[in-house]
Structures are given as structure tokens and as C-alpha cells.
């Protein structure tokens, strides 16, 4: 990772960070500086730009803020911290506007100040001039063209994808552009062409159950058969159906179906208690992530819903990633956040029409397939949580327990809301999009292809066994499982259950037919 200190003569966003001691949690995507010659270097997803001295901005707020808005990917956490910094004087923006009332960069800066802070600058705006976009669509994901809203005060098109309460940023790097272009529908069509749509549809029930089981495995509850079946039922019935599950009522209904009625919770839906993600070592509680406070949750969920609405028609994988990871960072429920987080992956893909009913992509299955995949999932979650908690050292601890209306008692004491809000509401989810695109692609190309191949061979085995001995499908499946579990040996239990298998030559023929079916790729 590039460090701010590696730039000896910073300009643009890096200058603003240093000048106003902003203490960013999420690193600058682009760090610019002056040097002897023009150069560009990319390292671990960050770009370091070196400009010749002729490009040096004036050593003022307006000079470097103009440079940031013009030449760099906008960094909303930076701007949010800048506009709330003690050393920042809003009158500088007002003076800048009065000097250049038609300037596009000052109008964008003033609009973003009011949008991010909720405060109004003491200027007479509304100069009749052409509209400009708030964010550069070439650098970051913005609202779809028909969703941009003209702001007459600043003559700026509000094309931010979310709301001030929650507006994640997705940077359009070459890698991100490739990830967002993943054609899920085409990958599934290829799978259907290879194995047949009928077989793919028949595998839907299995895939739904597998996704449910793997989702519980991530939660450390893989042995909860009744809960696994209940969540599988929720996946099958509710994916892509009804209202987007981000309102209190919709979440309460979904949470009730996922958790069941036997729970310590006294109310379902948006929590009224503080929450952290962590673990207990002996008697010591370790905090990995503190979620936003209850009073912020409704507006943040509305902001997430705004993002889904304002990016309609754009990359389904991108929208799915933002919905899922945005939800889990908001963490609005007292229990069940992880399952709803993974439910939303399929829910958005279904709503966007790229995964047809009744298919469910078993993405959790890939995540839990081995230790490497699970660590990759944990690392992507830590992209926000780890640096945020490092920045909040000293702001959290434990004291007396307090009972909250949702039935939760907590002894968490947290004093970092004001600082954390700059991250909670304006997080960079770029890498999360790339991660999910990779998971979805591999799920279809590897997991679903392997399962489809197995099911095709299983169907061939059924047909071959029926040619030897007539049995119902359920009984044939019992025979197949016994052969696989007992390495081709006819057990006494199975021989007693199906005496015809003991007739001379029948069992050997059945075993041979099964082996031939599963050795075939046709």
C-alpha cells in the first residue's frame, strides 16, 4: 500500500489530507504530487501520479480542491472530513463562489459541502449557467442518467448514487470495469446449453439447500438441520419477491422467517441496541467491528435502497455486491445479519433478471469450499472493518450492562460515532465488487458445472439401473448412496430391504452400471 509520506510534494487530495490533518481511514485511490517529470505508478490498487511543476495548484483550498475534483477520483470520506474539520472555514467556499460564480469546480464543491454536511452556505447562488455533474462518471459509479436530479441552487446535476446517509463509492479502475461487465445471464445460458435447461432447473432445489447449509457453515452452525431447511425455504420463496428487504417491516418479516419464533429477541426488524462483531477469548471480548448506532440505521438503509434505485439498469454484480456488503456493514439487525447479507446477493441478481427463478447461486458454498476461500471472504470484510477499528482505538470498551427494547443486553461503550460516520456512510466498496464478481463467476463455472455434471451422471445411472432391475427412483437413490458409502459391497441391511438385489448377477450388474455412468462425460 502506498503511504502518504512517500509523496514529498503532495497536491490535490493528498495536500488537503496533510494540510487539514484529516486522518483518512480509507486510503486515497489516487495520490498526486509534483516532480521532475510526468509519471504514473500503480501499486496494490492505488495510483501515484507525478505532475510537472507547471501543473502545481495554488497553495490554497480552492487550488487543491479544484485539482482533486478535476484530476482525481472523488474521495467522499476526504471531503466529508474536510468540510467538518475544525481548521476548515466554510467562508472560504463562499468567497470562492463569489469570486467565480460560474466556475464548475466551485459549484461542485459548494454542492458537495451542502450535500455532505446538511448545512447551507451563506451565498446567493442560482446563477444562470449550464449544469455540470456532481461526480465524474468516468472515474466512479454514478446514478443512471434518468435518475440524476438537477440542483438549481448550484446548477449541478446530483448524480451521486446514494443519499447523504449512505453513499458508497465504486471506482472505475480497469479491474472494476471488467468485474462489473461480468455477464451472469450468459454464463448461465452456457451452462444450460451444455447440460440442458431441464437438468439445470432440477438442480435448483439442491443448489438452494446447499446455499442454505453453507451460509450456516459460515456462521458456525452447520449442524442446525431445522434452521438450514428453514433458510432454504426462505431462499426458495422470497428471493427477488416483494419489496426490497431494506425497510423495517420487510426486514422484520424476513428475519422472522429466517430465525423462527424460538429466539431471545423481543422484537424483530431494525435493532435498538448497539452491536459489535467480535469474539471472546477466555474472559476478554475482542472487537473486530462496531456497527452504526440504532439512530442511524433507518436513514442508512434508505440510502442503500436509494443506491439500488438510482443505479437501475447498471451492472447486476455491482449492485448485488453493494446491497450485500453495504447491508452487512450497516448491520441493522440484532441477529441474522450474515444470512440476510448473503440472501441479498441472489435477491438483487434475481430482481435484475440475470438469475431466473427458481435458480439460486450457491455462492456460500464456494466461500466455504476450503480455508483459502474462507480467508479471502474474511479479508474482504476486513477491508473496511480493520482500518476503521484501528482509527477508533480508545473509543470503545466495556462497562455496565444495559438492557435494550429489542431484548438485547450489552455492555459495549462506544464514543467514536462522529468519526466513524465518515466511513460508515461513504465507504469505498470497489474491491468488494471485484471479489463478488470472482465468486459468482467461479460458482457458475466450477460449482454449478460440477453439480450439473453429477446430476447428469446420476440420471444416467438411474436409467441404467432401471434396465437391470425395476425400482422407484427413491429406492434407486438409496442403492446409489449405499454403493458409494460401502465401496460397492452389498450390505445385509440393503439386501434385506430389497431382496431382488441378492439374486445372482444382479448386484454386480448394478455396481458396474453405476461405475460406467459416473465414469462417462457424455
Amino acid at each position: 500500500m502506498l503511504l502518504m509520506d512517500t509523496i514529498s510534494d503532495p497536491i490535490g487530495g493528498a495536500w488537503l489530507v496533510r494540510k487539514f490533518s484529516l486522518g483518512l481511514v480509507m486510503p486515497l485511490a489516487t495520490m498526486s504530487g509534483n516532480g521532475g517529470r510526468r509519471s504514473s505508478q500503480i501499486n496494490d490498487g492505488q495510483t501515484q501520479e507525478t505532475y510537472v511543476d507547471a501543473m502545481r495548484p495554488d497553495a490554497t483550498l480552492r487550488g487543491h480542491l479544484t485539482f482533486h475534483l478535476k484530476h482525481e477520483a472523488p474521495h467522499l470520506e476526504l471531503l466529508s472530513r474536510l468540510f467538518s474539520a475544525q481548521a476548515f472555514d466554510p467562508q472560504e467556499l463562499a468567497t470562492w463562489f463569489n469570486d467565480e460564480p460560474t466556475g464548475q469546480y466551485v459549484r461542485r464543491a459548494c454542492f458537495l459541502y451542502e450535500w455532505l454536511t446538511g448545512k447551507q452556505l451563506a451565498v446567493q447562488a442560482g446563477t444562470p449557467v449550464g449544469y455540470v455533474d456532481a461526480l465524474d462518471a468516468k472515474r466512479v459509479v454514478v446514478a443512471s442518467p434518468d435518475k440524476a436530479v438537477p440542483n438549481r441552487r448550484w446548477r449541478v446535476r446530483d448524480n451521486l448514487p446514494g443519499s447523504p446517509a449512505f453513499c458508497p463509492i465504486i471506482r472505475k479502475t480497469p479491474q472494476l470495469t471488467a468485474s462489473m461487465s461480468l455477464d451472469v445471464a450468459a454464463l448461465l445460458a452456457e451452462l444450460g446449453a451444455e447440460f440442458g435447461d431441464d437438468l439445470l432447473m432440477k438442480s435448483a432445489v439442491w443448489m438452494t439447500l446447499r446455499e442454505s447449509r453453507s451460509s450456516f457453515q459460515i456462521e458456525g452452525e452447520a449442524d442446525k438441520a431445522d434452521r438450514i431447511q428453514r433458510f432454504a425455504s426462505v431462499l426458495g420463496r422470497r428471493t427477488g419477491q416483494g419489496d426490497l428487504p431494506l425497510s423495517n417491516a420487510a426486514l422484520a418479516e424476513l428475519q422472522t422467517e429466517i430465525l423462527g419464533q424460538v429466539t431471545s429477541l423481543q422484537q424483530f426488524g431494525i435493532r435498538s441496541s448497539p452491536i459489535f462483531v467480535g469474539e471472546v477469548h477466555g474472559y476478554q471480548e475482542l472487537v473486530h467491528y462496531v456497527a452504526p448506532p440504532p439512530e442511524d440505521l433507518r436513514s442508512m438503509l434508505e440510502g442503500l435502497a436509494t443506491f439500488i434505485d438510482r443505479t437501475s439498469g447498471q451492472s447486476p454484480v455491482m449492485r448485488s455486491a453493494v446491497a450485500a456488503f453495504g447491508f452487512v456493514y450497516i448491520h441493522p439487525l440484532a441477529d441474522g445479519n450474515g444470512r440476510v447479507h448473503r440472501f441479498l446477493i441472489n435477491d438483487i441478481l434475481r430482481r435484475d433478471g440475470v438469475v431466473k427463478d427458481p435458480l439460486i447461486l450457491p455462492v456460500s458454498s464456494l466461500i466455504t469450499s476450503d480455508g483459502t476461500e474462507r480467508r479471502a471472504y474474511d479479508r474482504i470484510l476486513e477491508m473496511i472493518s480493520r482500518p476503521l477499528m484501528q482509527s477508533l482505538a480508545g473509543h470503545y470498551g466495556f462497562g455496565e450492562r444495559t438492557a435494550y427494547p429489542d431484548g438485547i443486553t450489552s455492555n459495549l461503550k462506544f464514543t467514536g460515532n462522529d468519526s466513524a460516520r465518515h466511513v460508515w456512510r461513504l465507504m469505498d466498496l470497489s474491491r468488494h465488487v471485484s471479489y463478488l464478481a470472482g465468486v459468482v463467476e467461479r460458482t457458475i463455472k466450477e460449482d454449478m458445472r460440477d453439480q450439473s455434471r453429477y446430476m447428469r451422471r446420476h440420471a444416467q445411472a438411474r436409467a441404467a439401473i432401471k434396465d437391470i432391475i425395476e425400482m422407484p427412483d427413491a429406492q434407486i437413490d438409496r442403492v446409489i448412496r449405499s454403493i458409494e458409502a460401502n465401496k460397492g459391497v452389498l450390505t445385509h441391511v440393503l439386501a434385506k430391504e430389497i431382496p431382488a438385489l441378492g439374486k445372482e448377477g444382479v448386484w454386480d450388474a448394478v455396481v458396474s452400471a453405476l461405475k460406467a455412468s459416473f465414469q462417462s462425460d457424455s
Side-chain angles (χ1 to χ4, degrees):
M1 180 176 291
L2 295 173
L3 301 175
M4 196 72 65
D5 293 340
T6 64
I7 301 181
S8 59
D9 190 4
I11 57 177
W15 185 91
L16 293 167
V17 169
R18 186 172 295 183
K19 174 69 175 179
F20 291 91
S21 302
L22 298 183
L24 296 184
V25 169
M26 293 174 289
L28 289 172
T30 304
M31 289 182 287
S32 305
N34 279 117
R37 61 186 179 83
R38 181 74 175 94
S39 66
S40 180
Q41 178 184 350
I42 299 177
N43 185 3
D44 193 25
Q46 288 183 292
T47 302
Q48 184 166 350
E49 300 284 0
T50 303
Y51 293 87
V52 297
D53 201 57
M55 291 285 291
R56 183 188 302 275
D58 292 338
T60 60
L61 171 75
R62 70 173 72 179
H64 289 280
L65 187 48
T66 295
F67 187 94
H68 177 63
L69 294 175
K70 185 176 182 179
H71 297 289
E72 300 173 339
H75 194 291
L76 294 187
E77 183 202 351
L78 181 159
L79 296 176
S80 181
R81 290 188 186 277
L82 170 66
F83 295 148
S84 62
Q86 287 188 345
F88 175 78
D89 182 3
Q91 186 57 42
E92 286 195 60
L93 283 182
T95 301
W96 180 13
F97 176 77
N98 288 330
D99 290 344
E100 306 174 25
T102 63
Q104 67 157 307
Y105 296 108
V106 66
R107 286 186 286 128
R108 289 170 61 189
C110 291
F111 166 78
L112 288 168
Y113 170 84
E114 293 187 349
W115 193 87
L116 288 165
T117 66
K119 301 175 182 178
Q120 190 169 85
L121 293 167
V123 298
Q124 187 66 39
T127 304
V129 65
Y131 279 85
V132 294
D133 290 333
L135 298 184
D136 185 351
K138 294 179 180 178
R139 298 181 185 275
V140 295
V141 167
V142 300
S144 300
D146 62 326
K147 298 291 185 177
V149 179
N151 179 284
R152 293 185 178 182
R153 174 170 164 80
W154 298 109
R155 309 290 285 188
V156 167
R157 280 184 294 272
D158 175 4
N159 65 346
L160 284 102
S163 75
F166 188 74
C167 186
I169 283 291
I170 311 297
R171 293 176 282 108
K172 289 184 176 179
T173 63
Q175 181 183 5
L176 255 294
T177 300
S179 296
M180 290 192 293
S181 66
L182 181 70
D183 193 335
V184 177
L187 291 177
L188 289 172
E190 289 177 11
L191 205 61
E194 182 177 353
F195 294 100
D197 289 334
D198 286 346
L199 187 143
L200 207 57
M201 290 301 109
K202 288 177 182 177
S203 69
V205 173
W206 178 90
M207 291 177 187
T208 302
L209 188 60
R210 182 171 178 177
E211 173 62 10
S212 177
R213 183 182 296 110
S214 298
S215 189
F216 272 87
Q217 187 177 340
I218 291 173
E219 303 293 328
E221 300 178 348
D223 58 338
K224 309 295 185 182
D226 58 332
R227 298 182 185 180
I228 291 170
Q229 188 60 54
R230 184 166 57 239
F231 187 43
S233 176
V234 172
L235 284 167
R237 289 182 294 101
R238 294 193 62 109
T239 299
Q241 300 297 313
D243 295 333
L244 190 66
L246 295 177
S247 68
N248 185 46
L251 276 174
E253 185 178 336
L254 181 61
Q255 186 186 30
T256 301
E257 291 193 32
I258 290 174
L259 299 181
Q261 295 295 333
V262 183
T263 172
S264 62
L265 295 183
Q266 295 179 11
Q267 69 182 42
F268 291 100
I270 296 174
R271 59 181 164 83
S272 55
S273 52
I275 196 169
F276 72 94
V277 178
E279 56 187 309
V280 178
H281 276 230
Y283 293 100
Q284 183 179 9
E285 292 178 284
L286 301 181
V287 177
H288 298 318
Y289 177 68
V290 175
E295 61 267 25
D296 290 7
L297 300 177
R298 281 172 172 79
S299 61
M300 293 184 76
L301 288 168
E302 289 169 1
L304 180 54
T306 296
F307 185 99
I308 298 304
D309 174 64
R310 299 196 80 188
T311 59
S312 60
Q314 298 187 41
S315 164
V317 169
M318 179 272 292
R319 287 158 46 80
S320 176
V322 170
F325 286 103
F327 183 90
V328 83
Y329 286 126
I330 296 172
H331 230 69
L333 305 176
D335 189 19
N337 291 286
R339 275 156 278 179
V340 177
H341 150 67
R342 289 181 290 276
F343 168 86
L344 284 169
I345 295 172
N346 273 289
D347 186 69
I348 298 299
L349 294 174
R350 176 77 58 77
R351 291 177 190 274
D352 282 359
V354 295
V355 177
K356 303 296 184 182
D357 186 27
L359 276 182
I360 294 291
L361 304 188
V363 291
S364 299
S365 176
L366 182 70
I367 292 170
T368 59
S369 60
D370 59 42
T372 300
E373 292 297 339
R374 180 55 199 263
R375 285 190 294 273
Y377 177 67
D378 291 340
R379 282 196 301 271
I380 202 65
L381 290 172
E382 292 173 354
M383 290 294 299
I384 302 294
S385 63
R386 184 184 291 272
L388 175 61
M389 298 316 297
Q390 289 173 346
S391 76
L392 295 171
H395 284 283
Y396 57 90
F398 299 93
E400 294 295 322
R401 301 193 74 84
T402 301
Y404 294 91
D406 52 8
I408 299 297
T409 61
S410 174
N411 62 345
L412 175 68
K413 305 301 176 184
F414 184 66
T415 60
N417 286 333
D418 289 343
S419 178
R421 282 188 177 105
H422 298 293
V423 178
W424 283 331
R425 64 189 185 126
L426 303 167
M427 57 186 62
D428 186 331
L429 295 180
S430 304
R431 294 196 181 189
H432 300 71
V433 175
S434 287
Y435 168 80
L436 185 62
V439 167
V440 168
E441 183 173 20
R442 290 186 57 203
T443 295
I444 298 171
K445 287 185 173 181
E446 297 175 16
D447 272 23
M448 293 179 68
R449 175 167 277 107
D450 287 346
Q451 176 60 19
S452 297
R453 185 178 292 114
Y454 175 86
M455 293 190 71
R456 182 171 62 187
R457 291 170 176 171
H458 189 277
Q460 291 170 344
R462 272 183 175 179
I465 292 172
K466 274 182 178 288
D467 286 340
I468 299 167
I469 178 173
E470 188 62 48
M471 286 187 288
D473 286 345
Q475 209 166 39
I476 293 177
D477 292 344
R478 166 89 169 85
V479 169
I480 291 174
R481 289 194 299 271
S482 180
I483 293 172
E484 291 174 340
N486 298 288
K487 299 180 180 180
V489 176
L490 176 59
T491 65
H492 294 298
V493 172
L494 190 60
K496 186 176 180 180
E497 179 184 332
I498 311 173
L501 291 174
K503 292 182 179 180
E504 185 177 355
V506 171
W507 180 253
D508 289 341
V510 167
V511 172
S512 296
L514 180 65
K515 288 181 178 179
S517 297
F518 277 86
Q519 287 172 354
S520 171
D521 287 326
S522 60

